[in-house]
Amino acid sequence: ISSYILGEDFPQFFYFFYEKVMDLRYGENPHQKAAYYVDKTKNGAMKDFEYLQGKELSFNNIRDMDLAYKVVAEFEETTCCAVKHSTPCGVAIGETVVEAYRKAYECDPMSIFGGIIAFNKEVDGKTAVELNKIFLEIVAAPDYDEDALIELKKKKNLRILKLNNLNAHEAK
């Protein structure tokens, strides 16, 4: 606002206002401390996700989830993105959520192990059964049906996140 009022294209000072949402398990490395902050003036799933279950998040989890979220938010079609160590290891479109997941899994069945999975559509029970066949750190989606939550919650350490405000134009 001050930049606009002062008519400055490149102001001398640039201010940001972020709110601390949570402490993180650790930073980029286990010996580092970290916290997660969001810009409450903007929309998007990374600001409004709900933590449904699982261990605390780390910096690396947040970074990978942000990347997976941005990929699936770009598509209208049912899409799944798998990310491991800041690198997508599978992205696929399917007629159903389970089909999109299976295709993403087949892109690199080795690297997806221990990764982050994001969807742009509601996860159903059939997909949850498939997800539980391997070790995953996070499953993130705009919603889950009752059967999916029952199945996914069988893995106590699995982080289950509900992505609110999943819109492509806000992901950029």
mmCIF file of all heavy atoms in Angstrom, residues 130-150:
data_model
loop_
_atom_site.group_PDB
_atom_site.id
_atom_site.type_symbol
_atom_site.label_atom_id
_atom_site.label_comp_id
_atom_site.label_asym_id
_atom_site.label_seq_id
_atom_site.Cartn_x
_atom_site.Cartn_y
_atom_site.Cartn_z
ATOM 1 N N GLU A 130 -4.662 -48.834 -2.467
ATOM 2 C CA GLU A 130 -3.451 -48.836 -3.310
ATOM 3 C C GLU A 130 -2.333 -48.023 -2.657
ATOM 4 O O GLU A 130 -1.171 -48.435 -2.657
ATOM 5 C CB GLU A 130 -3.752 -48.283 -4.702
ATOM 6 C CG GLU A 130 -4.608 -49.187 -5.549
ATOM 7 C CD GLU A 130 -3.942 -50.517 -5.864
ATOM 8 O OE1 GLU A 130 -2.768 -50.513 -6.288
ATOM 9 O OE2 GLU A 130 -4.589 -51.558 -5.677
ATOM 10 N N LEU A 131 -2.663 -46.872 -2.107
ATOM 11 C CA LEU A 131 -1.668 -46.024 -1.460
ATOM 12 C C LEU A 131 -1.009 -46.728 -0.281
ATOM 13 O O LEU A 131 0.189 -46.580 -0.051
ATOM 14 C CB LEU A 131 -2.310 -44.716 -0.992
ATOM 15 C CG LEU A 131 -2.785 -43.757 -2.076
ATOM 16 C CD1 LEU A 131 -3.675 -42.683 -1.484
ATOM 17 C CD2 LEU A 131 -1.620 -43.150 -2.819
ATOM 18 N N ASN A 132 -1.789 -47.502 0.457
ATOM 19 C CA ASN A 132 -1.267 -48.174 1.643
ATOM 20 C C ASN A 132 -0.378 -49.379 1.324
ATOM 21 O O ASN A 132 0.199 -49.974 2.229
ATOM 22 C CB ASN A 132 -2.398 -48.598 2.576
ATOM 23 C CG ASN A 132 -2.766 -47.498 3.546
ATOM 24 O OD1 ASN A 132 -2.113 -46.462 3.616
ATOM 25 N ND2 ASN A 132 -3.825 -47.720 4.307
ATOM 26 N N LYS A 133 -0.223 -49.708 0.065
ATOM 27 C CA LYS A 133 0.633 -50.836 -0.304
ATOM 28 C C LYS A 133 2.117 -50.498 -0.214
ATOM 29 O O LYS A 133 2.954 -51.394 -0.210
ATOM 30 C CB LYS A 133 0.294 -51.332 -1.713
ATOM 31 C CG LYS A 133 -1.047 -52.035 -1.780
ATOM 32 C CD LYS A 133 -1.335 -52.526 -3.189
ATOM 33 C CE LYS A 133 -2.680 -53.252 -3.227
ATOM 34 N NZ LYS A 133 -2.993 -53.702 -4.611
ATOM 35 N N ILE A 134 2.445 -49.204 -0.188
ATOM 36 C CA ILE A 134 3.846 -48.790 -0.064
ATOM 37 C C ILE A 134 3.974 -47.767 1.050
ATOM 38 O O ILE A 134 2.978 -47.209 1.524
ATOM 39 C CB ILE A 134 4.408 -48.200 -1.379
ATOM 40 C CG1 ILE A 134 3.695 -46.900 -1.754
ATOM 41 C CG2 ILE A 134 4.359 -49.220 -2.503
ATOM 42 C CD1 ILE A 134 4.382 -46.122 -2.867
ATOM 43 N N PHE A 135 5.211 -47.486 1.453
ATOM 44 C CA PHE A 135 5.482 -46.462 2.449
ATOM 45 C C PHE A 135 5.437 -45.096 1.783
ATOM 46 O O PHE A 135 6.121 -44.851 0.793
ATOM 47 C CB PHE A 135 6.851 -46.683 3.098
ATOM 48 C CG PHE A 135 7.298 -45.522 3.932
ATOM 49 C CD1 PHE A 135 6.627 -45.189 5.099
ATOM 50 C CD2 PHE A 135 8.371 -44.753 3.539
ATOM 51 C CE1 PHE A 135 7.024 -44.104 5.858
ATOM 52 C CE2 PHE A 135 8.790 -43.668 4.294
ATOM 53 C CZ PHE A 135 8.119 -43.343 5.456
ATOM 54 N N LEU A 136 4.613 -44.211 2.324
ATOM 55 C CA LEU A 136 4.528 -42.831 1.866
ATOM 56 C C LEU A 136 4.654 -41.913 3.071
ATOM 57 O O LEU A 136 4.250 -42.267 4.183
ATOM 58 C CB LEU A 136 3.193 -42.569 1.165
ATOM 59 C CG LEU A 136 2.927 -43.351 -0.116
ATOM 60 C CD1 LEU A 136 1.484 -43.193 -0.551
ATOM 61 C CD2 LEU A 136 3.884 -42.896 -1.214
ATOM 62 N N GLU A 137 5.195 -40.729 2.849
ATOM 63 C CA GLU A 137 5.300 -39.728 3.914
ATOM 64 C C GLU A 137 3.998 -38.942 4.057
ATOM 65 O O GLU A 137 3.525 -38.719 5.156
ATOM 66 C CB GLU A 137 6.448 -38.753 3.623
ATOM 67 C CG GLU A 137 7.823 -39.352 3.773
ATOM 68 C CD GLU A 137 8.281 -39.482 5.212
ATOM 69 O OE1 GLU A 137 7.654 -38.899 6.118
ATOM 70 O OE2 GLU A 137 9.277 -40.192 5.412
ATOM 71 N N ILE A 138 3.445 -38.505 2.899
ATOM 72 C CA ILE A 138 2.261 -37.636 2.907
ATOM 73 C C ILE A 138 1.330 -38.015 1.768
ATOM 74 O O ILE A 138 1.777 -38.307 0.665
ATOM 75 C CB ILE A 138 2.648 -36.150 2.721
ATOM 76 C CG1 ILE A 138 3.498 -35.653 3.888
ATOM 77 C CG2 ILE A 138 1.414 -35.266 2.544
ATOM 78 C CD1 ILE A 138 4.020 -34.247 3.704
ATOM 79 N N VAL A 139 0.035 -37.973 2.057
ATOM 80 C CA VAL A 139 -1.000 -37.999 1.019
ATOM 81 C C VAL A 139 -1.778 -36.698 1.195
ATOM 82 O O VAL A 139 -2.253 -36.390 2.294
ATOM 83 C CB VAL A 139 -1.937 -39.221 1.146
ATOM 84 C CG1 VAL A 139 -3.060 -39.134 0.126
ATOM 85 C CG2 VAL A 139 -1.157 -40.514 0.993
ATOM 86 N N ALA A 140 -1.878 -35.930 0.117
ATOM 87 C CA ALA A 140 -2.559 -34.639 0.158
ATOM 88 C C ALA A 140 -3.595 -34.593 -0.955
ATOM 89 O O ALA A 140 -3.303 -34.946 -2.094
ATOM 90 C CB ALA A 140 -1.549 -33.509 -0.011
ATOM 91 N N ALA A 141 -4.805 -34.158 -0.605
ATOM 92 C CA ALA A 141 -5.900 -34.095 -1.575
ATOM 93 C C ALA A 141 -6.926 -33.070 -1.085
ATOM 94 O O ALA A 141 -6.964 -32.740 0.102
ATOM 95 C CB ALA A 141 -6.558 -35.470 -1.717
ATOM 96 N N PRO A 142 -7.797 -32.607 -1.994
ATOM 97 C CA PRO A 142 -8.824 -31.656 -1.576
ATOM 98 C C PRO A 142 -9.880 -32.269 -0.660
ATOM 99 O O PRO A 142 -10.552 -31.553 0.068
ATOM 100 C CB PRO A 142 -9.440 -31.162 -2.879
ATOM 101 C CG PRO A 142 -8.975 -32.080 -3.934
ATOM 102 C CD PRO A 142 -7.782 -32.807 -3.438
ATOM 103 N N ASP A 143 -10.005 -33.611 -0.693
ATOM 104 C CA ASP A 143 -10.953 -34.271 0.211
ATOM 105 C C ASP A 143 -10.740 -35.777 0.165
ATOM 106 O O ASP A 143 -10.008 -36.288 -0.692
ATOM 107 C CB ASP A 143 -12.394 -33.936 -0.163
ATOM 108 C CG ASP A 143 -13.316 -33.917 1.056
ATOM 109 O OD1 ASP A 143 -12.877 -34.305 2.166
ATOM 110 O OD2 ASP A 143 -14.480 -33.511 0.904
ATOM 111 N N TYR A 144 -11.382 -36.464 1.085
ATOM 112 C CA TYR A 144 -11.306 -37.918 1.221
ATOM 113 C C TYR A 144 -12.697 -38.432 1.555
ATOM 114 O O TYR A 144 -13.389 -37.830 2.382
ATOM 115 C CB TYR A 144 -10.367 -38.307 2.367
ATOM 116 C CG TYR A 144 -8.973 -37.780 2.211
ATOM 117 C CD1 TYR A 144 -8.636 -36.498 2.639
ATOM 118 C CD2 TYR A 144 -7.982 -38.552 1.624
ATOM 119 C CE1 TYR A 144 -7.356 -36.010 2.485
ATOM 120 C CE2 TYR A 144 -6.694 -38.063 1.468
ATOM 121 C CZ TYR A 144 -6.395 -36.796 1.901
ATOM 122 O OH TYR A 144 -5.118 -36.312 1.742
ATOM 123 N N ASP A 145 -13.097 -39.543 0.929
ATOM 124 C CA ASP A 145 -14.358 -40.123 1.366
ATOM 125 C C ASP A 145 -14.098 -40.909 2.654
ATOM 126 O O ASP A 145 -12.955 -41.107 3.077
ATOM 127 C CB ASP A 145 -15.048 -40.933 0.268
ATOM 128 C CG ASP A 145 -14.399 -42.266 -0.068
ATOM 129 O OD1 ASP A 145 -13.579 -42.788 0.722
ATOM 130 O OD2 ASP A 145 -14.724 -42.808 -1.141
ATOM 131 N N GLU A 146 -15.171 -41.343 3.287
ATOM 132 C CA GLU A 146 -15.063 -42.013 4.588
ATOM 133 C C GLU A 146 -14.209 -43.282 4.520
ATOM 134 O O GLU A 146 -13.371 -43.527 5.386
ATOM 135 C CB GLU A 146 -16.471 -42.350 5.108
ATOM 136 C CG GLU A 146 -16.484 -42.875 6.520
ATOM 137 C CD GLU A 146 -17.898 -43.114 7.037
ATOM 138 O OE1 GLU A 146 -18.836 -42.439 6.571
ATOM 139 O OE2 GLU A 146 -18.045 -43.993 7.901
ATOM 140 N N ASP A 147 -14.397 -44.077 3.475
ATOM 141 C CA ASP A 147 -13.613 -45.309 3.325
ATOM 142 C C ASP A 147 -12.122 -45.012 3.173
ATOM 143 O O ASP A 147 -11.280 -45.741 3.696
ATOM 144 C CB ASP A 147 -14.102 -46.118 2.119
ATOM 145 C CG ASP A 147 -15.499 -46.683 2.320
ATOM 146 O OD1 ASP A 147 -15.921 -46.849 3.490
ATOM 147 O OD2 ASP A 147 -16.177 -46.968 1.312
ATOM 148 N N ALA A 148 -11.794 -43.951 2.467
ATOM 149 C CA ALA A 148 -10.384 -43.579 2.273
ATOM 150 C C ALA A 148 -9.746 -43.219 3.610
ATOM 151 O O ALA A 148 -8.631 -43.669 3.919
ATOM 152 C CB ALA A 148 -10.270 -42.420 1.300
ATOM 153 N N LEU A 149 -10.426 -42.431 4.416
ATOM 154 C CA LEU A 149 -9.862 -42.038 5.706
ATOM 155 C C LEU A 149 -9.684 -43.236 6.632
ATOM 156 O O LEU A 149 -8.666 -43.348 7.315
ATOM 157 C CB LEU A 149 -10.720 -40.958 6.364
ATOM 158 C CG LEU A 149 -10.593 -39.567 5.747
ATOM 159 C CD1 LEU A 149 -11.558 -38.603 6.405
ATOM 160 C CD2 LEU A 149 -9.161 -39.055 5.845
ATOM 161 N N ILE A 150 -10.647 -44.136 6.633
ATOM 162 C CA ILE A 150 -10.521 -45.345 7.462
ATOM 163 C C ILE A 150 -9.289 -46.132 7.043
ATOM 164 O O ILE A 150 -8.494 -46.567 7.884
ATOM 165 C CB ILE A 150 -11.803 -46.210 7.380
ATOM 166 C CG1 ILE A 150 -12.961 -45.496 8.095
ATOM 167 C CG2 ILE A 150 -11.567 -47.605 7.953
ATOM 168 C CD1 ILE A 150 -14.325 -46.103 7.844
#
